Amino acid sequence: MKKLDFFATTMTGIEDIAAHEVKELLGCKVTPDIGKVFYKSNLDSVYILNVAARTLNKVMLNLCRSRFRDLDDIYRLSRGIDYSWLIDPDQSFAVRSERVGSHDFTSIDVSRVVGQAVIDSYLETSRVRLKVNLDSPDVEIYCLVRGDEFLMGVNLTGESLHKRGYRIYEHPAAIKPTLAAAMLFLSGWKGRGRLIDPMCGGATIPIEAAYIARKIAPNKSRRNYNFLKLKIFSCSEFMHLREQTLKKEEARKPEVYGMEKYRVHLEGGMRNAEEAGVSGDIRFKLGDATVTSDYPEEHFDFFVVNPPYGIRMTPKRIKLERLYELFLSAVKEVSDNAILVLITAAKRKFRKALEKVDLEVLSYREVLYGHLNTTIFKCRT
């Protein structure tokens, strides 16, 4: 089969990291965009990315990408697509839409217009009126209206890939695994050297670090994918490629550490690591990240951490800037020439702490984390 156009969604601010990962996994040209990456490949790419990608949320078949003026244009663009090669006559569909920018219509209007266009197109080509099922459709069509751009695709993943399935303990300020993986890639972690998350909470960062080190596919246990409902995909081919991907897993033991101040979170993180199948790959320790003597007596090459931002988890009786200063001082004292990657929504306070401790900032980037504007800093101790 000829190569098809696809795009995959990711977090805004890590598109270049996601694009590099897709290129590494597929060996094809990848173009980053706002909150997504575009590529052209065969159907096998869908199987590979849904099992092995660490920084992606959803993989989509690209049906349309065009400029538009109004809802009539959106109807015309959607109406001009042949859906009969994707959807069986007895299958149902739904349209999920997002809208960014200023328009005289809503995302609900987009879904309504596109839904009617899909019905009309299918009726003309197949003489069948497709059924709409908003709750559990066989085929989910995704539309994005951003400014004057209209993007339309078929959701081949289903529920977002950031839901790995190992989080049985929910930390109140847990980081998404996709973002944790992006931070690990940014640090340069490939499984060599010694890595610690000294505020590990539910252990998402150590788990993802162990996954990367051992080449464990992050969605190895997942079975429910939207693409399996589409007639152009083969369940047997998927299972074969999945098994080939899982065979790349390595048995070696990485040096990954997780330290946490609160016992309840540490024990929860240990349970998550056990559920993820990497409890034997992470060395857990009860300790305060601001206290030098609490750190393991090891030399660390990588510190990757998601500290309090001053929103949910800031300790009482201590100011956030002071917390950052104490933490950075401890990191500087227990390490030499190590890489620190940290995410925070309190950018100014963290910068002030950096100036006081005199750590070198190698790079930083803005990341939209949900509705929160955060910054990822990469520093050298």
Side-chain angles (χ1 to χ4, degrees):
M1 189 177 182
K2 69 175 183 178
K3 291 186 177 181
L4 300 172
D5 290 317
F6 297 93
F7 65 93
T9 60
T10 188
M11 298 182 72
T12 302
I14 66 166
E15 298 93 345
D16 59 324
I17 299 174
H20 180 76
E21 182 186 21
V22 173
K23 183 179 179 181
E24 288 289 301
L25 287 170
L26 303 182
C28 64
K29 181 182 177 181
V30 186
T31 304
D33 197 80
I34 301 173
K36 66 188 76 67
V37 298
F38 290 87
Y39 69 95
K40 185 187 289 286
S41 190
N42 53 32
L43 296 182
D44 288 355
S45 68
V46 176
Y47 309 142
I48 295 168
L49 293 185
N50 275 288
V51 174
R54 305 180 191 278
T55 60
L56 303 182
N57 292 329
K58 297 182 180 182
V59 179
M60 308 270 187
L61 176 65
N62 189 1
L63 296 179
C64 177
R65 189 185 188 191
S66 181
R67 300 294 176 184
F68 77 98
R69 292 171 298 178
D70 50 29
L71 283 174
D72 289 340
D73 272 355
I74 290 177
Y75 174 84
R76 177 181 54 80
L77 291 167
S78 308
R79 177 71 168 75
I81 298 170
D82 178 13
Y83 304 92
S84 62
W85 66 286
L86 282 170
I87 310 175
D88 276 331
D90 61 344
Q91 288 186 307
S92 62
F93 81 100
V95 180
R96 320 288 193 201
S97 299
E98 289 185 73
R99 186 183 60 82
V100 181
S102 179
H103 306 91
D104 59 358
F105 54 82
T106 67
S107 58
I108 295 174
D109 293 325
V110 175
S111 293
R112 173 180 53 80
V113 167
V114 172
Q116 189 60 56
V118 173
I119 290 172
D120 293 346
S121 173
Y122 204 90
L123 190 60
E124 181 180 3
T125 56
S126 303
R127 305 303 180 197
V128 173
R129 183 180 179 86
L130 283 177
K131 295 173 291 184
V132 175
N133 185 333
L134 298 180
D135 297 321
S136 54
D138 296 309
V139 181
E140 182 181 314
I141 294 173
Y142 167 79
C143 295
L144 172 66
V145 170
R146 186 188 297 275
D148 65 346
E149 181 186 27
F150 174 64
L151 179 64
M152 182 180 181
V154 177
N155 179 3
L156 303 176
T157 298
E159 194 173 43
S160 177
L161 294 172
H162 83 268
K163 297 183 178 181
R164 307 281 205 242
Y166 59 68
R167 189 173 284 170
I168 57 176
Y169 171 75
E170 284 288 347
H171 187 276
I175 190 171
K176 285 187 177 181
T178 43
L179 183 54
M183 291 172 65
L184 288 160
F185 283 143
L186 186 62
S187 75
W189 169 255
K190 294 181 180 179
R192 305 294 179 187
R194 194 173 285 120
L195 179 145
I196 186 170
D197 176 358
M199 301 183 191
C200 73
T204 302
I205 290 173
I207 290 170
E208 294 295 319
Y211 273 6
I212 291 172
R214 292 188 51 202
K215 295 182 171 57
I216 296 174
N219 288 288
K220 63 176 182 175
S221 301
R222 181 166 169 168
R223 294 291 189 276
N224 57 324
Y225 292 104
N226 278 10
F227 65 79
L228 292 174
K229 300 176 184 178
L230 298 177
K231 58 185 178 182
I232 62 172
F233 293 95
S234 165
C235 183
S236 60
E237 289 180 10
F238 164 61
M239 293 303 294
H240 173 71
L241 260 166
R242 176 181 173 277
E243 291 305 314
Q244 293 299 113
T245 301
L246 298 188
K247 285 180 180 178
K248 297 177 182 178
E249 184 176 318
E250 296 181 358
R252 67 187 181 88
K253 193 174 182 66
E255 295 189 83
V256 177
Y257 291 72
M259 189 167 77
E260 171 56 44
K261 180 179 180 180
Y262 300 101
R263 185 175 296 276
V264 63
H265 298 325
L266 185 71
E267 291 176 350
M270 292 170 71
R271 295 203 303 274
N272 286 343
E274 185 175 1
E275 185 70 15
V278 292
S279 58
D281 301 313
I282 302 170
R283 304 173 198 185
F284 287 97
K285 187 179 189 301
L286 190 68
D288 187 334
T290 66
V291 179
T292 305
S293 59
D294 280 2
Y295 281 78
E297 293 182 0
E298 306 283 358
H299 170 78
F300 289 99
D301 304 288
F302 301 92
F303 294 76
V304 182
V305 60
N306 174 40
Y309 304 165
I311 297 173
R312 295 182 185 175
M313 294 294 294
T314 307
K316 295 179 181 179
R317 301 184 302 277
I318 186 170
K319 292 184 178 180
L320 189 62
E321 185 180 328
R322 180 59 177 164
L323 173 69
Y324 288 163
E325 184 182 343
L326 290 172
F327 166 63
L328 292 175
S329 296
V331 168
K332 190 172 182 179
E333 190 168 337
V334 301
S335 66
D336 178 39
N337 199 33
I339 295 296
L340 165 68
V341 173
L342 179 147
I343 184 170
T344 179
K347 175 172 64 175
R348 293 180 181 177
K349 292 180 180 179
F350 184 70
R351 280 195 175 280
K352 288 181 179 179
L354 280 171
E355 291 172 2
K356 291 180 180 178
V357 179
D358 191 28
L359 281 189
E360 179 188 5
V361 178
L362 300 177
S363 66
Y364 67 92
R365 63 174 64 211
E366 307 299 322
V367 176
L368 184 61
Y369 187 14
H371 297 292
L372 199 61
N373 292 314
T374 63
T375 305
I376 297 177
F377 289 88
K378 181 177 180 180
C379 308
R380 189 184 303 278
T381 63

